[in-house]
Amino acid sequence: MSTHIVETEEITTLGNFNSPTNLSPLNYEKKKSYTLNIEGANTHLDFRFSHLGPFKDVTMLKIIVGDVDEPPLFSMPSYVMEVYENAKIGTVVGTVAAHDPDSTNSLVRYFIDHNTEEDRYFIIDANTGTIKTAKIFDREETPWYNITVAASEIDNFGLLSHVPVDIRILDVNDNPPELAREYDVVVCENAKPGQVIQTISATDKDNSANGPRFHYSLDEGLSLNPNFTLRDNEDNTASILTRRRRFSRTTQDVYYLPILISDSGIPSLSSSSTLTIRVCACERDGRVRTCHAEAFLSSAGLSTGALIAILLCVVILLAIVVLFITLRRSKKEPLIISEEDVRENVVTYDDEGGGEEDTEAFDITALRNPSAAEELKYRRDVRPDVNHAPRHQLSSSLNSIDVHEFIKQRLAEADLDPSVPPYDSIQTYAYEGHRSEAGSISSLDSVTTHSDQDYNYLGDWGPEFKKLAELYGEIESERTT
């Protein structure tokens, strides 16, 4: 008697129908057939028929295991691999292995199951199962990557098997140590030499193999610091100590202390950090009372808003003062200061005029001979703020001065006088001159004086002087009558 059973089913030995016992699954590649001896017996005997016995029978059962195409089988249930950070793209991480458990022993093809973004950081050789890097890694950003590798037979891609692969990124000493935090270091004005004012510590992004222990020192590139020193406590901390007695905020309120920190990695990395140390006024017990930046606000007792309002008021007041001064300077003073200035009496006529009959509208004495001139009046367009330079008075021998020399003298006085404005102005010269053989040529006094001049010859000068001859001829005829 033979029975055909698929290899994935289980065999149950029926020693007792009420209590079955489960055994291992069948494997065609390990054992292709099984032979069983089966005995059947009657457990309820009737002693009246015992002499007819025995009431049992034995038979042999042969079981043949059928072959089934199974997916590839990995050599390990899971893999753990390692690769250093900053490794070049294409660096080998590790290799996975799988084989076909069937008798055909088909070739296996590998690939990465790209279900997550992490799977795209690696590539795998489809034929060998070798895993390589596809990107550059930073352990401080991501220390572990978890991917899944799948394997299938080349002849049957539908049968897949999967295995997890965990990849650890190994640390490289690529980060220098840094101060653990920003320190606000304060030194009291009444500090003593050797006094600890601050204890500092450092951190390193690398792991413990490339980080602590840290080594602290002052920057050797600078000269010896006369104010502060540093002590390495050999426990990854360092202390800042004073080197002299007493500090003054008025002399220097801030000090800068460069510190060099090194790690224990191979090769060792170091970084330089600068501590800012403020000088403050402290109580006797060391409590900070005030520092330079706070002293101004605390003594004034004003908030920031109040200070801004005060500054705005000051700016507005200054603007008003500047505007007032500008308006004051732009205000023009009258050009004529003296009420007796002859130019104040100039009258504008819109007709031809009638000769010299109107002598009251203009003071003609300014144009008369020096002997008839009154006391000189000088024009001032703008009232000067400085003392007037003394002018040279006309001497008694004015009649003997040449006209050219007189005008030259008056021009020099006008140029050197600081009281006159810087622009051109009218200068009054009450000097006619006496060197003409014909005497005075001025007709200003012709109204009151008589002349014996005969103007009849003007008629002989041509038609251009006809009108002038008629005028003077009429005047002469009137005088003769």
Side-chain angles (χ1 to χ4, degrees), residues 29 67 69 100-107 153 155:
E29 287 71 28
D67 189 16
D69 192 6
D100 183 9
D102 299 324
S103 59
T104 57
N105 195 18
S106 300
L107 295 177
E153 297 179 8
D155 300 334

Side-chain angles (χ1 to χ4, degrees), residues 142-396:
T142 306
W144 281 91
Y145 289 89
N146 301 315
I147 64 175
T148 301
V149 177
S152 68
E153 297 179 8
I154 295 180
D155 300 334
N156 189 357
F157 292 103
L159 293 177
L160 297 175
S161 58
H162 299 81
V163 65
V165 180
D166 299 328
I167 302 175
R168 180 172 61 183
I169 308 300
L170 300 179
D171 185 37
V172 174
N173 191 23
D174 58 349
N175 293 282
E178 300 175 349
L179 288 177
R181 59 183 177 87
E182 293 289 338
Y183 289 95
D184 184 16
V185 185
V186 173
V187 60
C188 296
E189 289 184 315
N190 57 356
K192 299 178 181 180
Q195 181 177 344
V196 177
I197 60 175
Q198 185 68 53
T199 299
I200 61 175
S201 61
T203 58
D204 196 328
K205 295 180 180 179
D206 297 321
N207 60 17
S208 58
N210 294 313
R213 188 177 71 91
F214 300 119
H215 303 275
Y216 301 86
S217 63
L218 295 180
D219 195 340
E220 297 178 355
L222 302 176
S223 58
L224 181 63
N225 194 310
N227 304 307
F228 305 96
T229 185
L230 182 142
R231 181 181 65 198
D232 192 339
N233 298 327
E234 298 184 357
D235 59 353
N236 296 323
T237 65
S239 299
I240 309 300
L241 296 85
T242 58
R243 298 194 63 172
R244 66 182 180 89
R245 183 185 302 273
R246 294 190 176 278
F247 294 83
S248 175
R249 288 179 296 166
T250 57
T251 303
Q252 186 173 351
D253 59 341
V254 176
Y255 292 88
Y256 299 98
L257 185 65
I259 297 176
L260 190 66
I261 309 174
S262 304
D263 59 22
S264 300
I266 300 175
S268 177
L269 294 180
S270 61
S271 66
S272 180
S273 301
T274 301
L275 288 179
T276 302
I277 304 176
R278 296 184 300 147
V279 180
C280 299
C282 304
E283 304 291 346
R284 291 185 177 182
D285 57 359
R287 292 181 301 171
V288 177
R289 184 171 70 247
T290 180
C291 295
H292 180 76
E294 301 172 354
F296 177 79
L297 295 178
S298 60
S299 60
L302 298 176
S303 63
T304 305
L307 291 176
I308 295 176
I310 293 176
L311 291 176
L312 288 177
C313 292
V314 172
V315 171
I316 294 174
L317 182 61
L318 290 176
I320 294 175
V321 172
V322 171
L323 181 61
F324 177 77
I325 294 174
T326 304
L327 294 176
R328 183 70 179 273
R329 289 183 178 180
S330 62
K331 184 179 180 181
K332 296 182 179 180
E333 296 184 0
L335 297 178
I336 305 302
I337 298 175
S338 175
E339 295 181 357
E340 298 178 359
D341 196 302
V342 296
R343 289 168 295 177
E344 193 178 34
N345 298 324
V346 175
V347 179
T348 302
Y349 295 94
D350 206 13
D351 52 7
E352 183 178 355
E356 299 174 356
E357 298 298 332
D358 189 3
T359 60
E360 296 180 357
F362 191 82
D363 189 359
I364 63 175
T365 59
L367 300 178
R368 290 178 180 174
N369 292 338
S371 58
E374 298 179 355
E375 182 181 358
L376 299 178
K377 295 183 178 62
Y378 303 103
R379 173 183 173 179
R380 293 184 300 168
D381 291 342
V382 180
R383 187 186 299 277
D385 295 333
V386 298
N387 296 329
H388 298 289
R391 294 179 179 272
H392 297 285
Q393 301 294 334
L394 296 175
S395 61
S396 59

